[in-house]
Amino acid sequence: NFMLTQPHSVSESPGKTVTISCTGSSGSIASNYVQWYQQRPGSAPTTVIYEDNQRPSGVPDRFSGSIDSSSNSASLSISGLKTEDEADYYCQSYDNSNLWVFGGGTKLTVL
Amino acid sequence: QVQMVESGGGLVKPGGSLRLSCAASGFTFSDYYMIWIRQAPGKGLEWVSHISSSGTTKYYADSVKGRFTISRDNAKKSLYLQMNGLRVEDTAVYYCARKPGYWGQGTLVTVSS
């Protein structure tokens, strides 16, 4: 079964840049699009990146997504960190049957 | 704009049943496959079920196979999840979702005696 692995937690200071990785267990992560979701406590997930590197309207350009085929990983970068960015972040892609697969989530602390 | 609104959650005893609904608007519902995702308290996101745009192809997570049934009514722009034989571990917020990354706000299902 295809799996996505994320670090359990990351932390960084306000104003800095943080990168969250999402590594595919097999095949090529570049073969299927990756989405990234932000979830604040008590709220539903919201999309911050879709189709590897596209930002929905309303998402600031401090958020960016990329794919690194050499490491079979996707990454979410957040620059100019703000305290409001503190949340859980989930990556999501698809398996060979086009079924959704989620990473385990990364807790971002902005301290 | 794309919108999905779930309903039907609530408190149910183990072994009981619930039917969740998801009302979609703002897009051509019949063009898209739809999915259910859940999130248990304090846990991550779990894909639950998938239904093709026509409703003919369905997939289920092993954890719900044989107990849950996904369906849709394209004329009513609605998605459903019939949940039978509910277990305590089915307690979660249930979300309907559509590619690429559109989600509803979720409905809470609590299974407890």
Side-chain angles (χ1 to χ4, degrees), chain B residues 60-100:
Chain B
Y60 300 93
D62 288 344
S63 56
V64 307
K65 202 171 293 182
R67 301 186 298 122
F68 290 13
T69 302
I70 192 171
S71 62
R72 65 190 295 161
D73 185 331
N74 284 346
K76 294 183 177 179
K77 298 184 179 181
S78 292
L79 174 72
Y80 306 102
L81 187 67
Q82 177 66 43
M83 304 187 296
N84 298 331
L86 282 162
R87 304 168 179 167
V88 170
E89 56 265 33
D90 295 320
T91 295
V93 177
Y94 286 73
Y95 301 96
C96 62
R98 193 214 92 180
K99 184 175 180 177

mmCIF file of all heavy atoms in Angstrom, chain B residues 60-100:
data_model
loop_
_atom_site.group_PDB
_atom_site.id
_atom_site.type_symbol
_atom_site.label_atom_id
_atom_site.label_comp_id
_atom_site.label_asym_id
_atom_site.label_seq_id
_atom_site.Cartn_x
_atom_site.Cartn_y
_atom_site.Cartn_z
ATOM 1 N N TYR B 60 -13.905 1.103 -0.465
ATOM 2 C CA TYR B 60 -14.025 1.313 0.980
ATOM 3 C C TYR B 60 -12.707 1.002 1.670
ATOM 4 O O TYR B 60 -11.975 0.100 1.268
ATOM 5 C CB TYR B 60 -15.102 0.392 1.575
ATOM 6 C CG TYR B 60 -16.483 0.615 0.993
ATOM 7 C CD1 TYR B 60 -16.939 -0.138 -0.084
ATOM 8 C CD2 TYR B 60 -17.315 1.591 1.519
ATOM 9 C CE1 TYR B 60 -18.196 0.069 -0.617
ATOM 10 C CE2 TYR B 60 -18.582 1.807 0.984
ATOM 11 C CZ TYR B 60 -19.009 1.045 -0.090
ATOM 12 O OH TYR B 60 -20.256 1.256 -0.620
ATOM 13 N N ALA B 61 -12.432 1.736 2.741
ATOM 14 C CA ALA B 61 -11.316 1.379 3.603
ATOM 15 C C ALA B 61 -11.623 0.047 4.281
ATOM 16 O O ALA B 61 -12.793 -0.269 4.554
ATOM 17 C CB ALA B 61 -11.093 2.472 4.648
ATOM 18 N N ASP B 62 -10.580 -0.721 4.548
ATOM 19 C CA ASP B 62 -10.790 -2.018 5.193
ATOM 20 C C ASP B 62 -11.525 -1.883 6.521
ATOM 21 O O ASP B 62 -12.285 -2.764 6.914
ATOM 22 C CB ASP B 62 -9.437 -2.707 5.425
ATOM 23 C CG ASP B 62 -8.814 -3.204 4.136
ATOM 24 O OD1 ASP B 62 -9.528 -3.309 3.110
ATOM 25 O OD2 ASP B 62 -7.596 -3.478 4.143
ATOM 26 N N SER B 63 -11.303 -0.763 7.207
ATOM 27 C CA SER B 63 -11.893 -0.558 8.532
ATOM 28 C C SER B 63 -13.412 -0.428 8.498
ATOM 29 O O SER B 63 -14.058 -0.572 9.543
ATOM 30 C CB SER B 63 -11.284 0.680 9.189
ATOM 31 O OG SER B 63 -11.455 1.816 8.351
ATOM 32 N N VAL B 64 -13.998 -0.154 7.324
ATOM 33 C CA VAL B 64 -15.452 0.036 7.248
ATOM 34 C C VAL B 64 -16.120 -0.904 6.254
ATOM 35 O O VAL B 64 -17.352 -0.918 6.150
ATOM 36 C CB VAL B 64 -15.812 1.500 6.885
ATOM 37 C CG1 VAL B 64 -15.118 2.467 7.837
ATOM 38 C CG2 VAL B 64 -15.456 1.814 5.436
ATOM 39 N N LYS B 65 -15.323 -1.681 5.540
ATOM 40 C CA LYS B 65 -15.860 -2.560 4.499
ATOM 41 C C LYS B 65 -16.884 -3.528 5.091
ATOM 42 O O LYS B 65 -16.646 -4.120 6.144
ATOM 43 C CB LYS B 65 -14.720 -3.322 3.835
ATOM 44 C CG LYS B 65 -15.012 -3.851 2.457
ATOM 45 C CD LYS B 65 -13.740 -4.406 1.815
ATOM 46 C CE LYS B 65 -12.720 -3.330 1.526
ATOM 47 N NZ LYS B 65 -11.508 -3.851 0.853
ATOM 48 N N GLY B 66 -18.013 -3.656 4.417
ATOM 49 C CA GLY B 66 -19.066 -4.549 4.883
ATOM 50 C C GLY B 66 -20.030 -3.893 5.859
ATOM 51 O O GLY B 66 -21.075 -4.469 6.172
ATOM 52 N N ARG B 67 -19.699 -2.711 6.365
ATOM 53 C CA ARG B 67 -20.570 -2.011 7.325
ATOM 54 C C ARG B 67 -21.094 -0.697 6.760
ATOM 55 O O ARG B 67 -22.207 -0.277 7.089
ATOM 56 C CB ARG B 67 -19.799 -1.745 8.619
ATOM 57 C CG ARG B 67 -19.284 -2.979 9.306
ATOM 58 C CD ARG B 67 -18.664 -2.650 10.671
ATOM 59 N NE ARG B 67 -17.508 -1.763 10.559
ATOM 60 C CZ ARG B 67 -17.412 -0.572 11.158
ATOM 61 N NH1 ARG B 67 -18.415 -0.125 11.901
ATOM 62 N NH2 ARG B 67 -16.321 0.158 11.022
ATOM 63 N N PHE B 68 -20.278 -0.018 5.961
ATOM 64 C CA PHE B 68 -20.656 1.280 5.399
ATOM 65 C C PHE B 68 -20.981 1.114 3.915
ATOM 66 O O PHE B 68 -20.368 0.294 3.213
ATOM 67 C CB PHE B 68 -19.512 2.283 5.542
ATOM 68 C CG PHE B 68 -19.231 2.749 6.945
ATOM 69 C CD1 PHE B 68 -19.771 2.123 8.059
ATOM 70 C CD2 PHE B 68 -18.380 3.823 7.159
ATOM 71 C CE1 PHE B 68 -19.506 2.555 9.342
ATOM 72 C CE2 PHE B 68 -18.086 4.276 8.437
ATOM 73 C CZ PHE B 68 -18.649 3.631 9.528
ATOM 74 N N THR B 69 -21.922 1.941 3.439
ATOM 75 C CA THR B 69 -22.283 1.951 2.021
ATOM 76 C C THR B 69 -22.341 3.393 1.534
ATOM 77 O O THR B 69 -23.062 4.215 2.102
ATOM 78 C CB THR B 69 -23.634 1.282 1.781
ATOM 79 O OG1 THR B 69 -23.597 -0.072 2.266
ATOM 80 C CG2 THR B 69 -23.972 1.272 0.288
ATOM 81 N N ILE B 70 -21.577 3.665 0.493
ATOM 82 C CA ILE B 70 -21.577 4.993 -0.117
ATOM 83 C C ILE B 70 -22.540 4.997 -1.303
ATOM 84 O O ILE B 70 -22.686 3.991 -2.004
ATOM 85 C CB ILE B 70 -20.151 5.398 -0.557
ATOM 86 C CG1 ILE B 70 -20.083 6.878 -0.916
ATOM 87 C CG2 ILE B 70 -19.654 4.510 -1.697
ATOM 88 C CD1 ILE B 70 -18.641 7.380 -1.158
ATOM 89 N N SER B 71 -23.210 6.112 -1.487
ATOM 90 C CA SER B 71 -24.118 6.249 -2.635
ATOM 91 C C SER B 71 -24.239 7.723 -2.990
ATOM 92 O O SER B 71 -23.772 8.592 -2.241
ATOM 93 C CB SER B 71 -25.495 5.657 -2.329
ATOM 94 O OG SER B 71 -26.104 6.345 -1.252
ATOM 95 N N ARG B 72 -24.857 7.991 -4.119
ATOM 96 C CA ARG B 72 -25.046 9.375 -4.555
ATOM 97 C C ARG B 72 -26.310 9.489 -5.375
ATOM 98 O O ARG B 72 -26.773 8.507 -5.971
ATOM 99 C CB ARG B 72 -23.831 9.862 -5.356
ATOM 100 C CG ARG B 72 -23.606 9.142 -6.671
ATOM 101 C CD ARG B 72 -22.250 9.513 -7.272
ATOM 102 N NE ARG B 72 -22.185 10.928 -7.644
ATOM 103 C CZ ARG B 72 -21.029 11.583 -7.840
ATOM 104 N NH1 ARG B 72 -19.879 10.959 -7.686
ATOM 105 N NH2 ARG B 72 -21.048 12.860 -8.200
ATOM 106 N N ASP B 73 -26.842 10.693 -5.411
ATOM 107 C CA ASP B 73 -27.990 11.025 -6.258
ATOM 108 C C ASP B 73 -27.590 12.250 -7.061
ATOM 109 O O ASP B 73 -27.598 13.374 -6.527
ATOM 110 C CB ASP B 73 -29.216 11.293 -5.386
ATOM 111 C CG ASP B 73 -30.480 11.527 -6.215
ATOM 112 O OD1 ASP B 73 -30.358 12.015 -7.361
ATOM 113 O OD2 ASP B 73 -31.572 11.240 -5.712
ATOM 114 N N ASN B 74 -27.213 12.052 -8.303
ATOM 115 C CA ASN B 74 -26.713 13.170 -9.102
ATOM 116 C C ASN B 74 -27.805 14.198 -9.389
ATOM 117 O O ASN B 74 -27.514 15.394 -9.523
ATOM 118 C CB ASN B 74 -26.103 12.660 -10.397
ATOM 119 C CG ASN B 74 -24.731 12.044 -10.169
ATOM 120 O OD1 ASN B 74 -24.109 12.220 -9.107
ATOM 121 N ND2 ASN B 74 -24.258 11.286 -11.147
ATOM 122 N N ALA B 75 -29.034 13.760 -9.471
ATOM 123 C CA ALA B 75 -30.132 14.707 -9.705
ATOM 124 C C ALA B 75 -30.301 15.641 -8.515
ATOM 125 O O ALA B 75 -30.646 16.815 -8.675
ATOM 126 C CB ALA B 75 -31.421 13.944 -9.982
ATOM 127 N N LYS B 76 -30.049 15.125 -7.325
ATOM 128 C CA LYS B 76 -30.176 15.945 -6.114
ATOM 129 C C LYS B 76 -28.844 16.537 -5.685
ATOM 130 O O LYS B 76 -28.773 17.234 -4.671
ATOM 131 C CB LYS B 76 -30.742 15.104 -4.966
ATOM 132 C CG LYS B 76 -32.178 14.643 -5.187
ATOM 133 C CD LYS B 76 -32.696 13.887 -3.978
ATOM 134 C CE LYS B 76 -34.160 13.484 -4.189
ATOM 135 N NZ LYS B 76 -34.691 12.723 -3.019
ATOM 136 N N LYS B 77 -27.782 16.260 -6.448
ATOM 137 C CA LYS B 77 -26.449 16.764 -6.102
ATOM 138 C C LYS B 77 -26.082 16.397 -4.668
ATOM 139 O O LYS B 77 -25.602 17.240 -3.888
ATOM 140 C CB LYS B 77 -26.369 18.265 -6.306
ATOM 141 C CG LYS B 77 -26.581 18.705 -7.745
ATOM 142 C CD LYS B 77 -26.385 20.212 -7.910
ATOM 143 C CE LYS B 77 -26.571 20.630 -9.357
ATOM 144 N NZ LYS B 77 -26.357 22.085 -9.541
ATOM 145 N N SER B 78 -26.316 15.157 -4.325
ATOM 146 C CA SER B 78 -26.093 14.723 -2.952
ATOM 147 C C SER B 78 -25.307 13.428 -2.879
ATOM 148 O O SER B 78 -25.453 12.538 -3.723
ATOM 149 C CB SER B 78 -27.434 14.548 -2.229
ATOM 150 O OG SER B 78 -28.071 15.794 -2.040
ATOM 151 N N LEU B 79 -24.498 13.345 -1.845
ATOM 152 C CA LEU B 79 -23.677 12.185 -1.529
ATOM 153 C C LEU B 79 -24.139 11.643 -0.187
ATOM 154 O O LEU B 79 -24.528 12.427 0.695
ATOM 155 C CB LEU B 79 -22.216 12.608 -1.448
ATOM 156 C CG LEU B 79 -21.182 11.585 -0.995
ATOM 157 C CD1 LEU B 79 -20.959 10.545 -2.097
ATOM 158 C CD2 LEU B 79 -19.863 12.283 -0.654
ATOM 159 N N TYR B 80 -24.073 10.315 -0.039
ATOM 160 C CA TYR B 80 -24.552 9.703 1.203
ATOM 161 C C TYR B 80 -23.544 8.688 1.732
ATOM 162 O O TYR B 80 -22.740 8.140 0.987
ATOM 163 C CB TYR B 80 -25.891 8.998 0.965
ATOM 164 C CG TYR B 80 -26.940 9.880 0.342
ATOM 165 C CD1 TYR B 80 -27.233 9.788 -1.017
ATOM 166 C CD2 TYR B 80 -27.625 10.817 1.113
ATOM 167 C CE1 TYR B 80 -28.183 10.614 -1.600
ATOM 168 C CE2 TYR B 80 -28.574 11.650 0.534
ATOM 169 C CZ TYR B 80 -28.842 11.538 -0.822
ATOM 170 O OH TYR B 80 -29.789 12.358 -1.390
ATOM 171 N N LEU B 81 -23.634 8.439 3.030
ATOM 172 C CA LEU B 81 -22.863 7.360 3.648
ATOM 173 C C LEU B 81 -23.772 6.680 4.662
ATOM 174 O O LEU B 81 -24.106 7.271 5.696
ATOM 175 C CB LEU B 81 -21.600 7.878 4.322
ATOM 176 C CG LEU B 81 -20.659 6.793 4.841
ATOM 177 C CD1 LEU B 81 -20.043 6.005 3.672
ATOM 178 C CD2 LEU B 81 -19.549 7.369 5.719
ATOM 179 N N GLN B 82 -24.199 5.466 4.341
ATOM 180 C CA GLN B 82 -24.993 4.670 5.258
ATOM 181 C C GLN B 82 -24.041 3.884 6.145
ATOM 182 O O GLN B 82 -23.229 3.100 5.639
ATOM 183 C CB GLN B 82 -25.920 3.713 4.497
ATOM 184 C CG GLN B 82 -26.741 2.802 5.380
ATOM 185 C CD GLN B 82 -27.763 3.558 6.213
ATOM 186 O OE1 GLN B 82 -28.437 4.457 5.711
ATOM 187 N NE2 GLN B 82 -27.881 3.199 7.478
ATOM 188 N N MET B 83 -24.127 4.106 7.434
ATOM 189 C CA MET B 83 -23.207 3.476 8.378
ATOM 190 C C MET B 83 -23.991 2.536 9.289
ATOM 191 O O MET B 83 -24.843 2.989 10.052
ATOM 192 C CB MET B 83 -22.501 4.550 9.206
ATOM 193 C CG MET B 83 -21.760 5.575 8.347
ATOM 194 S SD MET B 83 -20.771 6.729 9.315
ATOM 195 C CE MET B 83 -22.040 7.555 10.225
ATOM 196 N N ASN B 84 -23.733 1.254 9.171
ATOM 197 C CA ASN B 84 -24.381 0.237 9.993
ATOM 198 C C ASN B 84 -23.344 -0.424 10.898
ATOM 199 O O ASN B 84 -22.141 -0.339 10.637
ATOM 200 C CB ASN B 84 -25.039 -0.812 9.116
ATOM 201 C CG ASN B 84 -26.136 -0.240 8.230
ATOM 202 O OD1 ASN B 84 -26.787 0.753 8.588
ATOM 203 N ND2 ASN B 84 -26.341 -0.843 7.079
ATOM 204 N N GLY B 85 -23.803 -1.092 11.923
ATOM 205 C CA GLY B 85 -22.897 -1.790 12.815
ATOM 206 C C GLY B 85 -21.830 -0.886 13.389
ATOM 207 O O GLY B 85 -20.657 -1.260 13.481
ATOM 208 N N LEU B 86 -22.234 0.308 13.797
ATOM 209 C CA LEU B 86 -21.251 1.288 14.262
ATOM 210 C C LEU B 86 -20.522 0.814 15.510
ATOM 211 O O LEU B 86 -21.094 0.158 16.385
ATOM 212 C CB LEU B 86 -21.936 2.631 14.497
ATOM 213 C CG LEU B 86 -22.206 3.414 13.201
ATOM 214 C CD1 LEU B 86 -23.259 4.488 13.419
ATOM 215 C CD2 LEU B 86 -20.923 4.013 12.666
ATOM 216 N N ARG B 87 -19.246 1.178 15.556
ATOM 217 C CA ARG B 87 -18.366 0.816 16.667
ATOM 218 C C ARG B 87 -17.851 2.080 17.339
ATOM 219 O O ARG B 87 -17.845 3.160 16.737
ATOM 220 C CB ARG B 87 -17.189 0.001 16.145
ATOM 221 C CG ARG B 87 -17.583 -1.246 15.364
ATOM 222 C CD ARG B 87 -16.387 -1.826 14.635
ATOM 223 N NE ARG B 87 -16.722 -3.040 13.886
ATOM 224 C CZ ARG B 87 -15.934 -3.609 12.978
ATOM 225 N NH1 ARG B 87 -14.740 -3.074 12.722
ATOM 226 N NH2 ARG B 87 -16.328 -4.705 12.358
ATOM 227 N N VAL B 88 -17.378 1.938 18.553
ATOM 228 C CA VAL B 88 -16.824 3.093 19.275
ATOM 229 C C VAL B 88 -15.717 3.746 18.451
ATOM 230 O O VAL B 88 -15.602 4.979 18.408
ATOM 231 C CB VAL B 88 -16.302 2.648 20.656
ATOM 232 C CG1 VAL B 88 -15.517 3.764 21.319
ATOM 233 C CG2 VAL B 88 -17.448 2.182 21.535
ATOM 234 N N GLU B 89 -14.935 2.930 17.771
ATOM 235 C CA GLU B 89 -13.812 3.466 16.995
ATOM 236 C C GLU B 89 -14.238 4.190 15.719
ATOM 237 O O GLU B 89 -13.395 4.751 15.014
ATOM 238 C CB GLU B 89 -12.801 2.354 16.662
ATOM 239 C CG GLU B 89 -13.376 1.159 15.935
ATOM 240 C CD GLU B 89 -13.762 0.027 16.883
ATOM 241 O OE1 GLU B 89 -14.177 0.306 18.039
ATOM 242 O OE2 GLU B 89 -13.649 -1.141 16.452
ATOM 243 N N ASP B 90 -15.514 4.187 15.406
ATOM 244 C CA ASP B 90 -16.019 4.976 14.277
ATOM 245 C C ASP B 90 -16.297 6.424 14.683
ATOM 246 O O ASP B 90 -16.643 7.252 13.834
ATOM 247 C CB ASP B 90 -17.304 4.360 13.710
ATOM 248 C CG ASP B 90 -17.087 2.997 13.092
ATOM 249 O OD1 ASP B 90 -16.057 2.817 12.411
ATOM 250 O OD2 ASP B 90 -17.948 2.120 13.293
ATOM 251 N N THR B 91 -16.157 6.725 15.965
ATOM 252 C CA THR B 91 -16.349 8.092 16.433
ATOM 253 C C THR B 91 -15.364 9.019 15.743
ATOM 254 O O THR B 91 -14.147 8.814 15.809
ATOM 255 C CB THR B 91 -16.160 8.174 17.957
ATOM 256 O OG1 THR B 91 -17.185 7.425 18.600
ATOM 257 C CG2 THR B 91 -16.196 9.623 18.439
ATOM 258 N N ALA B 92 -15.883 10.029 15.054
ATOM 259 C CA ALA B 92 -15.033 10.917 14.264
ATOM 260 C C ALA B 92 -15.876 12.040 13.673
ATOM 261 O O ALA B 92 -17.111 11.971 13.667
ATOM 262 C CB ALA B 92 -14.355 10.150 13.129
ATOM 263 N N VAL B 93 -15.186 13.043 13.176
ATOM 264 C CA VAL B 93 -15.830 14.010 12.287
ATOM 265 C C VAL B 93 -15.713 13.457 10.875
ATOM 266 O O VAL B 93 -14.621 13.049 10.456
ATOM 267 C CB VAL B 93 -15.159 15.391 12.380
ATOM 268 C CG1 VAL B 93 -15.789 16.352 11.388
ATOM 269 C CG2 VAL B 93 -15.274 15.939 13.799
ATOM 270 N N TYR B 94 -16.829 13.432 10.172
ATOM 271 C CA TYR B 94 -16.875 12.910 8.807
ATOM 272 C C TYR B 94 -17.010 14.065 7.827
ATOM 273 O O TYR B 94 -17.893 14.925 7.976
ATOM 274 C CB TYR B 94 -18.036 11.926 8.650
ATOM 275 C CG TYR B 94 -17.768 10.596 9.314
ATOM 276 C CD1 TYR B 94 -17.798 10.472 10.701
ATOM 277 C CD2 TYR B 94 -17.450 9.463 8.562
ATOM 278 C CE1 TYR B 94 -17.530 9.264 11.324
ATOM 279 C CE2 TYR B 94 -17.181 8.250 9.173
ATOM 280 C CZ TYR B 94 -17.214 8.162 10.555
ATOM 281 O OH TYR B 94 -16.941 6.962 11.168
ATOM 282 N N TYR B 95 -16.128 14.070 6.838
ATOM 283 C CA TYR B 95 -16.115 15.111 5.817
ATOM 284 C C TYR B 95 -16.403 14.494 4.444
ATOM 285 O O TYR B 95 -15.887 13.411 4.138
ATOM 286 C CB TYR B 95 -14.746 15.778 5.724
ATOM 287 C CG TYR B 95 -14.240 16.442 6.977
ATOM 288 C CD1 TYR B 95 -13.370 15.783 7.844
ATOM 289 C CD2 TYR B 95 -14.596 17.753 7.280
ATOM 290 C CE1 TYR B 95 -12.878 16.398 8.982
ATOM 291 C CE2 TYR B 95 -14.102 18.381 8.413
ATOM 292 C CZ TYR B 95 -13.244 17.690 9.258
ATOM 293 O OH TYR B 95 -12.765 18.313 10.383
ATOM 294 N N CYS B 96 -17.164 15.213 3.625
ATOM 295 C CA CYS B 96 -17.207 14.852 2.215
ATOM 296 C C CYS B 96 -16.216 15.762 1.497
ATOM 297 O O CYS B 96 -15.932 16.880 1.945
ATOM 298 C CB CYS B 96 -18.605 14.964 1.630
ATOM 299 S SG CYS B 96 -19.342 16.602 1.638
ATOM 300 N N ALA B 97 -15.686 15.278 0.397
ATOM 301 C CA ALA B 97 -14.654 16.036 -0.293
ATOM 302 C C ALA B 97 -14.652 15.709 -1.772
ATOM 303 O O ALA B 97 -15.169 14.672 -2.216
ATOM 304 C CB ALA B 97 -13.277 15.732 0.308
ATOM 305 N N ARG B 98 -14.060 16.637 -2.513
ATOM 306 C CA ARG B 98 -13.943 16.512 -3.965
ATOM 307 C C ARG B 98 -12.570 16.966 -4.390
ATOM 308 O O ARG B 98 -11.988 17.882 -3.784
ATOM 309 C CB ARG B 98 -15.020 17.404 -4.597
ATOM 310 C CG ARG B 98 -15.285 17.200 -6.053
ATOM 311 C CD ARG B 98 -15.643 18.505 -6.747
ATOM 312 N NE ARG B 98 -14.453 19.141 -7.292
ATOM 313 C CZ ARG B 98 -14.463 20.291 -7.956
ATOM 314 N NH1 ARG B 98 -15.590 20.955 -8.100
ATOM 315 N NH2 ARG B 98 -13.357 20.793 -8.438
ATOM 316 N N LYS B 99 -12.067 16.337 -5.412
ATOM 317 C CA LYS B 99 -10.783 16.739 -5.990
ATOM 318 C C LYS B 99 -10.926 18.122 -6.604
ATOM 319 O O LYS B 99 -11.982 18.447 -7.143
ATOM 320 C CB LYS B 99 -10.440 15.706 -7.061
ATOM 321 C CG LYS B 99 -9.122 15.852 -7.750
ATOM 322 C CD LYS B 99 -8.922 14.658 -8.698
ATOM 323 C CE LYS B 99 -7.604 14.757 -9.415
ATOM 324 N NZ LYS B 99 -7.360 13.566 -10.277
ATOM 325 N N PRO B 100 -9.925 18.987 -6.556
ATOM 326 C CA PRO B 100 -8.644 18.821 -5.899
ATOM 327 C C PRO B 100 -8.589 19.584 -4.587
ATOM 328 O O PRO B 100 -8.042 20.673 -4.521
ATOM 329 C CB PRO B 100 -7.664 19.433 -6.900
ATOM 330 C CG PRO B 100 -8.450 20.600 -7.487
ATOM 331 C CD PRO B 100 -9.902 20.220 -7.385
#
